[in-house]
């Protein structure tokens, strides 16, 4: 992995050479008229600051010293030929992407140490608000400051986000075959790009020039799943009559990944007792029940046989029972019929993905170019699982299947039952994120014209959209209408204890269809100018100015999904108008170099944006590059950044929830008693969701670093960067962290403003709100997109007010290292690289009144040490690389409770894995194998298991931490490319 300051790629050299190409001038008047026509909407639409479509350089000069304007642009600057002054850029070129063996950019970026795992992915976990990720999408989080603080671009342009209850930008927009390179600028960039660029920017640069056809089939295997796919890239340049020279590149990719069952790894099973964890098949009065079912009876003392049952006693119905003629004496006390949902539930969904990209560049004459860039991405994923009710059900005495004489159940009183539909429907589509159809598309039209004074005008119009059906669940699957199910139990049409499957006619009454869809449409247009102003002794002063505007609208409609209430007509929109300017000043250059100041380039940038709903914000940035000697250069930058609340953050019609939660309680607060003494958990009522009072987040960014290439060691480079981010007014979804409100006495004090202890009266009746404590009666009446389960309402101990809020203040600082060495030897070319990051401090005030906490190297917080080191060898057509990935140790301070005893906090060891990449490339004009490349990639070469982590995260559902490790084991990928 090499930074942008290391060396210029072949693509960059070709682009620089192409800048001098001369074409006839006769079409410039027509082309300029087209550009002006396209520029008309530029005063009314678009926000992002796009790089020109031919941006391919990975190493532009930091300070141009002549009046020759380079044709290329790098991420982080609006001025051609000027780098993001003072900001280190990590660049993964196409060869580096292929060498990882991954086909999607999110997996590639996980190998970059500054990318933390505190974002979304498509697995079945709920940490870090993962439960809200019903789209099963993937995000990027630079420095662990949340994925919403990282701006994702394609060719310098924004992408329409997606989101039902939260908004995020899907990171897997393009396959690796369509990407020329990926730029990562881990520094604030709101002065250049506007909102969201607090932690940094990730920019996918697409392939825009290619001659011929490249076909690439691939196959991946690991213990849990198989994946196969293929891509085709085709490109050609030709004279388009009298209109000019047209270059076209078209790409298409298809990928199929089979589902990974949770039973593929013991870390994912419900019964985690082999790891010293809980048996999650039973959670108080809920369980993964097997046929013929169970009866549950509430009590007052801890169940001595089943720790997870709390104060409930479980009675198993004898196997083979037909549903009638049984009495309580025949039931099996504390011998429930259970199954492990891990054998039936997918951890990773079955996924089918189709993607396409088209780049057209028309060089009308030497001064004018028009271009089009389009992409399309469609993903369909299906997660199957155990179909079972998530609320308690009762069987009335009038039912023919009622079992009289159950101990603890009064004569004629309803009895609580627990059943699943595994015998009826087998594995079914789960209700939240079980069947997702997601599509994204983007179209960009642009025209640029170079004037005689070397200034360039560029007009760009971009339209992108996303459409997601996050819960497209057909009937006879996991979308359970519990009201209708209870009705079928009441009228006797459904036999809950039968060992034979129920008829489809009966099941269709309560296993119903539903869908939850969202649409986002975004239009942006811009008019920008850049070029030289005047000459100084140090070189040419260059500038860029522009005006942009963006309009975005988002809508959601949820119908029939029984885990949520119907939502029809949720809609939000905003318009953003922006002005920006940037100045590059070469104060010192070759002509006026001084001792210890061989060059000094200053970059000034500022941007102001006016929002239709949250006001106006202005953000400056200043950066410099100081060439101390020919070997040593220093750089630095300072600026401000911001992030406006997403439409779903602030609009309650998108997301508002009322839900009963069973949370870990180690607060030792007598006003919040334990509901389950064995596991030290308490029932609470949580209010979560959007907040219309939110205001934009703000940040101050500082960085300083240096790059050293000693003349006496050819091929050696040493780079280091210090940084600090002061992140203020940070929007946090308190529902994300509410499960740890009571995890300790310290947490209880920290989140005190959001916790209201309250006991239910002795006469409380579940479902009868008139008998509730008025605090809970009012809360249950609050707007909610989720239908609250009130079966445990009378066991509530506290109310959590956990809506989105501007509460957190984070100060993070640390340093990044980028070392490399390459040399030619008798056995071939050798290279070694080390990329590492160390977070020194991550100080957080969760609320304005909360004390400062050190949110670092603890579960759910950034891990301070991450790195990747590799050593490579190449000789002719052969190439081999061995890499080590390192994730540092951290503290599990959210331990589980077993048998009433809270387990000690545990230091989780560092996780080290190794990757091996082997490839062979056949030279051109080498017969029928000409242009062929074959590669073998093995991730986690030694099949290392993740560290065991038993925490209250994910409701203690896993025996590992999915934010810092994975359970995929050794992954073997084979890929063959053939160029024609």
């Amino acid at each position: 992995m090499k930074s942008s300051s290391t060396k210029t790629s072949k693509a960059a050299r070709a682009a620089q050479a192409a800048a001098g190409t001369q074409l006839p001038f006769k079409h410039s008047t027509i082309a300029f008229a087209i550009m002006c026509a396209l520029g008309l909407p530029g005063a009314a639409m678009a926000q992002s600051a796009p790089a020109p479509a031919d941006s391919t350089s990975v190493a532009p000069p930091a300070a141009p010293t002549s009046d020759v304007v380079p044709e290329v642009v790098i991420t982080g600057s609006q001025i051609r030929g000027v780098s993001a002054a003072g900001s280190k850029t990590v660049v993964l070129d196409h060869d580096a992407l292929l060498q990882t063996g991954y086909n999607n950019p999110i997996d590639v970026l996980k190998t970059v140490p500054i990318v933390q795992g505190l974002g979304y992915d498509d697995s079945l976990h709920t940490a870090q608000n993962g439960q809200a990720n019903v789209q099963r999408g993937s995000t990027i989080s630079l420095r662990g400051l949340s994925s919403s603080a990282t701006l994702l671009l394609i060719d310098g342009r924004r992408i329409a986000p997606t989101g039902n209850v939260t908004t995020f930008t899907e990171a897997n927009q393009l396959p690796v075959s369509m990407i020329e390179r990926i730029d990562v600028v881990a520094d604030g960039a709101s002065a250049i790009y506007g909102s969201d660029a607090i932690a940094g920017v990730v920019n996918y640069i697409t392939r825009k020039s290619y001659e011929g056809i490249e076909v690439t089939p691939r196959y991946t295997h690991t213990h849990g799943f198989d994946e196969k796919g293929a891509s085709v890239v085709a490109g050609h340049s030709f004279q388009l009559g009298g209109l000019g020279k047209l270059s076209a590149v078209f790409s298409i990719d298809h990928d199929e990944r089979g589902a990974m069952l949770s039973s593929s790894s013991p870390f994912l099973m419900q019964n985690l007792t082999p790891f010293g964890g809980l048996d999650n098949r039973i959670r108080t009065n809920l369980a993964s029940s097997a046929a013929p079912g169970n009866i549950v009876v509430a009590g007052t003392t801890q169940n001595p046989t089943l720790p997870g049952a709390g104060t409930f006693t479980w009675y198993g119905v004898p196997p083979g029972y037909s549903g009638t003629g049984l009495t309580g004496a025949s039931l099996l006390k504390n011998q429930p019929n259970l199954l492990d949902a891990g054998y039936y539930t997918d951890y990773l969904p079955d996924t089918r993905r189709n993607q396409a990209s088209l780049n057209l560049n028309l060089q009308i004459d030497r001064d004018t170019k028009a271009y089009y860039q389009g992409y399309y991405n469609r993903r369909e994923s299906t997660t199957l699982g155990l179909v079972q009710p998530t609320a308690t059900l009762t069987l009335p005495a009038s039912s023919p299947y009622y079992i009289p004489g159950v101990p603890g159940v009064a004569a004629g009183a309803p009895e609580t039952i627990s059943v699943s539909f595994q015998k009826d429907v087998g594995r079914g589509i789960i209700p939240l994120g079980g069947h997702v159809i997601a599509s994204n598309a983007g179209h960009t039209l642009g025209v640029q014209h170079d004037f005689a004074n070397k200034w360039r005008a560029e007009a760009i119009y971009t339209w992108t959209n996303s459409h997601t059906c996050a819960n497209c669940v057909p009937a006879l699957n996991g979308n359970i209408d519990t009201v209708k199910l209870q009705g079928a139990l009441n009228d006797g049409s459904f036999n809950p204890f039968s060992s034979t499957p129920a008829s489809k006619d009966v099941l269709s009454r309560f296993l119903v269809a539903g869908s939850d869809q969202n649409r986002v449409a975004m239009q942006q247009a811009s008019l920008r100018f850049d070029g030289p102003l005047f000459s100084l002794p140090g070189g040419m002063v260059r500038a860029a100015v522009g005006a942009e505007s963006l309009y975005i609208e988002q809508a959601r409609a949820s119908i029939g999904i029984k885990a949520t209430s119907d939502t029809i007509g949720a809609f939000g929109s905003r318009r953003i108008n922006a002005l920006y300017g940037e100045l590059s000043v070469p104060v010192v250059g070759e002509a006026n170099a001084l001792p210890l100041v061989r060059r000094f380039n200053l970059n000034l940038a500022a941007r102001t944006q006016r929002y239709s709903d949250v006001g106006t914000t202005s953000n400056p940035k200043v950066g410099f590059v100081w060439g101390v000697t020919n070997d040593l250069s220093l750089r630095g930058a300072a600026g401000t950044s911001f992030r406006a609340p997403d439409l779903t953050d602030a609009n309650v019609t998108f997301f508002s929830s009322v839900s009963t939660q069973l949370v870990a309680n180690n607060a030792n607060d007598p006003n919040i008693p334990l509901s389950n003494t064995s596991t030290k958990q308490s029932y609470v009522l949580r209010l979560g969701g959007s907040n219309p009072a939110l205001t934009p987040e703000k940040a101050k960014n500082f960085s300083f670093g240096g790059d050293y290439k000693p003349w006496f060691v050819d091929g050696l480079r040493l780079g280091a960067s210090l940084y600090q981010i002061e992140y203020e007014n940070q929007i946090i979804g308190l529902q994300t962290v509410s499960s740890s409100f009571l995890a300790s006495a310290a947490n209880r004090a920290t989140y005190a403003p959001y916790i209201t202890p309250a006991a239910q009266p002795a006469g409380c009746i579940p479902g009868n709100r008139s008998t509730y404590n008025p605090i809970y009666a009012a809360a249950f009446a609050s707007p909610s997109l989720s239908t609250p389960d009130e079966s445990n309402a009378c066991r509530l101990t506290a109310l959590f007010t956990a809506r989105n809020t501007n509460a957190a203040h984070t100060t993070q600082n640390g340093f990044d290292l980028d070392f490399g060495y390459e040399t030619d030897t008798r056995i071939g070319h050798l290279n070694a690289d080390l990329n590492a990051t160390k977070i020194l401090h991550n100080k957080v005030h969760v609320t304005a009144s909360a004390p400062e906490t050190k949110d670092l190297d603890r579960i759910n917080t950034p891990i301070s040490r991450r790195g990747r080191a590799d050593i490579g060898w190449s000789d002719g057509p052969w190439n081999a690389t061995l890499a080590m990935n390192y994730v540092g140790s951290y503290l599990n301070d959210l331990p589980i409770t077993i048998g009433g005893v809270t387990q000690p906090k545990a230091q989780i060891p560092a996780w080290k894995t190794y990757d091996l990449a082997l490839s062979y490339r056949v030279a051109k004009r080498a017969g029928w194998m000409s242009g062929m490349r074959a590669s073998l990639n093995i991730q986690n070469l030694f099949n290392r298991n993740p560290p065991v982590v038993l925490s209250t995260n994910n409701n203690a559902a896993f025996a590992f931490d999915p934010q810092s490790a994975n359970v995929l084991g050794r992954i073997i990928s084979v890929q063959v490319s053939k160029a024609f």
Side-chain angles (χ1 to χ4, degrees):
M1 186 187 308
K2 296 181 175 60
S3 70
S4 64
S5 60
T6 54
K7 61 181 182 181
T8 305
S9 68
K10 294 180 180 178
R13 293 194 292 270
Q16 292 166 349
T21 302
Q22 301 293 312
L23 293 176
F25 187 77
K26 61 183 180 179
H27 303 295
S28 62
T29 302
I30 297 174
F32 185 64
I34 296 173
M35 184 200 74
C36 291
L38 183 59
L40 288 177
M45 306 182 70
Q47 177 190 13
S48 77
D54 59 351
S55 174
T56 55
S57 172
V58 298
T65 57
S66 72
D67 61 354
V68 177
V69 182
E71 183 67 18
V72 293
V73 175
I74 194 170
T75 303
S77 176
Q78 301 281 13
I79 305 173
R80 286 169 294 153
V82 174
S83 67
S87 301
K88 188 73 171 181
T89 301
V90 175
V91 176
L92 300 171
D93 61 21
H94 191 66
D95 287 341
L97 299 178
L98 294 177
Q99 197 170 27
T100 66
Y102 293 114
N103 181 55
N104 63 74
I106 189 68
D107 287 335
V108 171
L109 286 165
K110 286 179 180 178
T111 67
V112 179
I114 57 176
V115 176
Q116 295 265 349
L118 302 179
Y120 292 160
D121 60 33
D122 62 349
S123 64
L124 190 64
H125 72 81
T126 60
Q128 293 296 313
N129 209 23
Q131 194 168 24
N133 180 23
V134 294
Q135 295 94 329
R136 295 286 178 253
S138 299
T139 61
I140 301 165
S141 176
L142 295 178
R143 305 203 184 282
L145 290 175
S146 89
S147 55
S148 59
T150 299
L151 177 61
L152 179 65
L153 305 171
I154 294 180
D155 287 325
R157 291 178 280 274
R158 287 179 178 265
I159 306 164
T162 185
N164 290 55
V165 297
T166 60
T167 297
F168 63 92
T169 301
E170 169 63 53
N172 278 333
Q173 296 283 349
L174 299 169
V176 166
S177 63
M178 299 180 188
I179 299 175
E180 181 66 30
R181 75 175 198 269
I182 299 176
D183 292 349
V184 181
V185 181
D187 196 8
S190 287
I192 305 297
Y193 297 112
S195 180
D196 306 333
I198 288 179
V201 178
V202 176
N203 191 11
Y204 300 160
I205 307 299
T206 60
R207 301 174 73 175
K208 301 176 183 66
S209 61
Y210 186 77
E211 195 66 32
I213 300 175
E214 178 186 79
V215 180
T216 307
R218 59 182 180 272
Y219 175 76
T220 298
H221 171 76
T222 187
H223 174 67
F225 63 87
D226 292 285
E227 184 173 4
K228 57 187 177 183
S231 66
V232 177
V233 179
H236 186 54
S237 298
F238 54 92
Q239 196 69 29
L240 191 63
L243 295 178
K245 186 176 182 180
L246 178 67
S247 296
V249 179
F250 173 73
S251 303
I252 189 169
D253 187 277
H254 174 75
D255 192 80
E256 299 180 3
R257 187 192 66 192
M260 176 181 174
L261 263 176
S262 295
S263 58
S264 298
S265 169
F267 288 83
L268 303 174
M269 300 298 287
Q270 282 191 302
N271 184 4
L272 297 178
T273 55
F275 295 99
L278 297 170
D279 184 349
N280 292 309
R281 294 177 298 171
I282 291 184
R283 286 299 186 94
T284 62
N285 58 343
L286 298 174
S288 296
S289 292
N294 304 289
I295 293 178
V296 190
V297 180
T300 58
T301 59
Q302 172 65 42
N303 188 315
T305 306
L306 303 171
T311 58
F312 291 90
T313 301
W314 284 73
Y315 293 91
V317 176
Y321 174 57
S322 63
T324 58
L326 196 68
T327 65
S330 302
L331 298 178
L332 307 175
K333 183 179 180 180
N334 285 331
Q335 300 178 53
N337 297 297
L338 299 176
L339 52 76
D340 196 311
Y343 290 109
Y344 303 92
T345 304
D346 295 332
Y347 176 68
L348 294 177
D350 179 276
T351 302
R352 302 289 185 269
R353 189 188 299 270
N354 291 295
Q355 297 170 302
S357 175
L358 175 63
N359 278 303
L360 301 174
N361 289 276
L362 179 62
Q363 191 72 48
I364 299 172
D365 56 43
R366 69 175 186 179
D367 299 315
T368 309
K369 182 175 74 172
Y371 57 87
Y372 166 82
Q373 192 265 336
Y375 63 89
Y376 175 76
N377 173 31
R378 185 183 189 276
R379 169 177 57 89
E380 182 172 3
S381 61
T382 303
T383 304
L384 301 180
L386 184 67
V387 178
Q388 58 184 346
T390 56
T392 56
L393 301 166
T394 59
L395 198 63
S398 59
S399 170
Y401 312 113
Y402 185 82
I403 301 176
V406 177
V409 179
E415 51 196 20
T416 301
I417 64 172
S418 175
V419 297
S420 77
F421 301 102
Q422 191 276 328
K423 71 177 189 313
D424 303 296
V425 297
R427 299 200 316 137
I429 295 173
I430 65 174
L432 293 178
H435 186 211
V436 179
I437 302 175
S439 63
N440 295 78
H443 306 274
T444 295
L445 290 170
V447 178
Q448 57 185 221
H449 181 78
D450 294 333
F451 297 96
N453 60 0
K454 294 183 172 39
W455 273 75
R456 171 176 290 177
E458 186 170 17
I460 306 170
Y461 173 78
T462 297
W463 176 79
T464 67
N465 69 22
S466 68
H467 175 211
T468 303
C469 185
N471 292 306
C472 291
V473 183
L476 299 178
N477 280 278
N479 188 33
I480 304 174
D481 188 326
T482 54
V483 174
K484 293 182 178 179
L485 172 56
Q486 185 62 61
L489 291 170
N490 292 342
D491 63 23
S493 58
F494 177 63
N495 180 354
F497 303 130
S498 174
S499 298
T500 59
S503 70
K504 289 185 178 180
D505 290 339
V506 171
L507 294 172
S508 62
R509 288 181 54 184
F510 47 81
L511 299 182
V512 297
S515 66
D516 187 350
Q517 303 189 50
N518 76 82
R519 295 178 182 271
V520 181
M522 185 168 67
Q523 300 179 70
Q524 51 187 336
S526 64
L527 184 63
R528 61 185 296 270
F529 302 87
D530 82 291
L533 289 177
F534 52 87
S535 181
L536 293 176
M540 182 64 67
V541 177
R542 305 186 188 280
V545 294
E548 301 178 343
S549 182
L550 176 148
Y551 175 77
I552 182 172
E553 61 182 30
Q554 188 166 358
R556 180 189 180 202
S558 176
I559 302 175
I561 297 297
K562 297 308 172 181
T564 65
S565 298
D566 286 354
T567 303
I568 302 173
F571 179 83
S573 67
R574 70 165 46 128
R575 182 178 292 279
I576 312 159
N577 295 319
L579 296 173
Y580 66 86
E582 187 178 356
L583 194 66
S584 176
V585 183
V587 180
V588 178
E590 292 183 5
N592 62 340
L594 301 170
L596 300 183
V597 188
R598 305 303 302 169
R599 62 186 176 92
F600 188 89
N601 190 73
L602 185 66
N603 185 278
L604 305 171
R607 183 185 185 97
T608 183
Q609 295 194 160
R610 182 177 181 180
Y611 284 74
S612 60
D613 54 348
V614 294
T616 300
T617 180
S618 298
N619 293 274
K621 183 176 183 178
V622 58
F624 71 87
V625 175
W626 171 15
V628 181
T629 66
N630 291 333
D631 300 342
L632 174 65
S633 65
L634 302 177
R635 46 189 159 72
T640 64
S641 302
F642 80 104
R643 184 183 84 86
D646 293 319
L647 294 175
T648 55
D649 287 339
N651 191 325
V652 294
T653 63
F654 282 96
F655 180 35
S656 183
S657 71
V658 180
S659 60
T660 301
Q661 304 285 321
L662 183 64
V663 301
N665 184 356
N666 292 295
N668 296 319
D669 184 344
N671 295 314
I672 307 178
L674 297 175
S675 303
N676 186 338
T677 57
S678 176
T679 58
K680 284 192 177 181
Q681 293 175 302
S682 297
Y683 279 105
V684 301
L685 188 65
R686 186 186 70 187
L687 300 179
S690 306
N691 183 353
L694 294 176
T695 58
E697 302 173 333
K698 300 178 181 179
K700 297 177 182 178
N701 304 77
F702 307 92
S703 64
F704 178 79
D707 298 284
Y708 182 49
K709 300 179 181 178
W711 61 268
F712 52 86
V713 183
D714 187 34
L716 176 65
R717 74 175 195 282
L718 304 172
S721 301
L722 297 170
Y723 74 91
Q724 177 164 302
I725 302 172
E726 297 180 6
Y727 197 174
E728 302 175 352
N729 212 34
Q730 189 175 358
I731 298 171
I732 58 174
L734 287 172
Q735 62 268 15
T736 303
V737 296
S738 62
S739 62
S740 61
F741 276 10
L742 304 176
S744 64
N747 280 22
R748 170 67 176 89
T750 296
Y751 295 104
Y754 309 106
I755 303 171
T756 304
Q760 287 282 39
C764 176
I765 301 173
N768 186 348
R769 296 179 183 177
S770 65
T771 66
Y772 293 178
N773 183 316
I775 290 177
Y776 296 125
F780 273 114
S782 300
S784 177
L785 301 183
S786 301
T787 303
D789 173 21
E790 299 185 43
S791 60
N792 288 299
C794 294
R795 298 165 62 83
L796 294 172
T797 61
L799 176 68
F800 287 180
T801 303
R803 302 192 188 280
N804 297 337
T805 185
N806 291 103
H809 176 108
T810 300
T811 300
Q812 185 186 110
N813 54 45
F815 61 85
D816 305 319
L817 300 177
D818 175 21
F819 299 162
Y821 178 70
E822 55 184 326
T823 185
D824 289 313
T825 70
R826 292 180 179 180
I827 62 172
H829 184 81
L830 299 178
N831 68 276
D833 293 278
L834 170 66
N835 292 91
T837 187
K838 168 66 175 177
I839 301 175
L840 298 174
H841 302 95
N842 193 62
K843 303 175 182 178
V844 177
H845 291 269
V846 177
T847 66
S849 60
E852 179 181 279
T853 61
K854 297 179 180 180
D855 279 5
L856 188 66
D857 290 333
R858 296 187 293 112
I859 197 165
N860 291 338
T861 70
I863 295 175
S864 65
R865 291 173 295 170
R866 288 177 180 260
R868 180 176 171 93
D870 62 73
I871 182 169
W873 164 83
S874 61
D875 185 26
W878 290 98
N879 185 287
T881 300
L882 178 65
M884 183 194 78
N885 307 290
Y886 178 87
V887 178
S889 65
Y890 60 97
L891 179 68
N892 174 17
D893 59 346
L894 298 176
I896 60 175
T897 298
I898 303 175
V901 179
T902 300
Q903 304 303 295
K905 298 177 182 180
Q907 191 69 28
I908 307 304
W911 195 45
K912 297 184 287 291
T913 60
Y914 295 83
D915 301 338
L916 177 66
L918 304 172
S919 66
Y920 181 82
R921 188 188 300 270
V922 180
K924 292 183 177 180
R925 296 182 296 277
W928 67 271
M929 294 184 64
S930 173
M932 182 174 290
R933 180 185 183 275
S935 64
L936 170 67
N937 296 84
I938 305 176
Q939 285 88 37
N940 195 355
L941 179 65
F942 302 113
N943 201 28
R944 288 284 306 276
N945 282 326
V948 174
V949 181
L950 298 170
S951 79
T952 57
N953 256 3
N954 296 291
N955 294 322
F958 300 145
F960 81 110
D961 180 6
Q963 301 170 108
S964 60
N966 67 68
V967 293
L968 303 182
R970 183 186 295 114
I971 304 173
I972 301 173
S973 301
V974 178
Q975 182 172 281
V976 177
S977 295
K978 178 67 171 74
F980 300 91

